Amino acid sequence: MLFGICNLSIVPLRLAASDTSEMLSQVLFGESFEIIEEEKEWSKIRLTFDNYEGFIDNKQFIKITEDYYSKLSSE
């Protein structure tokens, strides 16, 4: 299983894997998430905080280890 963390101020969480797709929510700096599907340019994620699912651009986050994700989730 893959995990990530937002390293930018705000990243749009989109309905589909497209810059023109509807924005469902925003991923804020420091928020962690599970990567459900990984494609070439986009990844489908599930936010840890509220379980929202959507797509974010792969250039707008960094991957983290499962151990680090678990540590962040438990705090």
Side-chain angles (χ1 to χ4, degrees), residues 3-5 30-33 48 64-75:
F3 301 93
I5 190 166
E31 281 193 272
S32 59
F33 49 85
T48 305
I64 58 174
T65 64
E66 186 170 358
D67 289 338
Y68 190 54
Y69 174 81
S70 295
K71 183 178 178 182
L72 290 173
S73 300
S74 66
E75 294 180 357

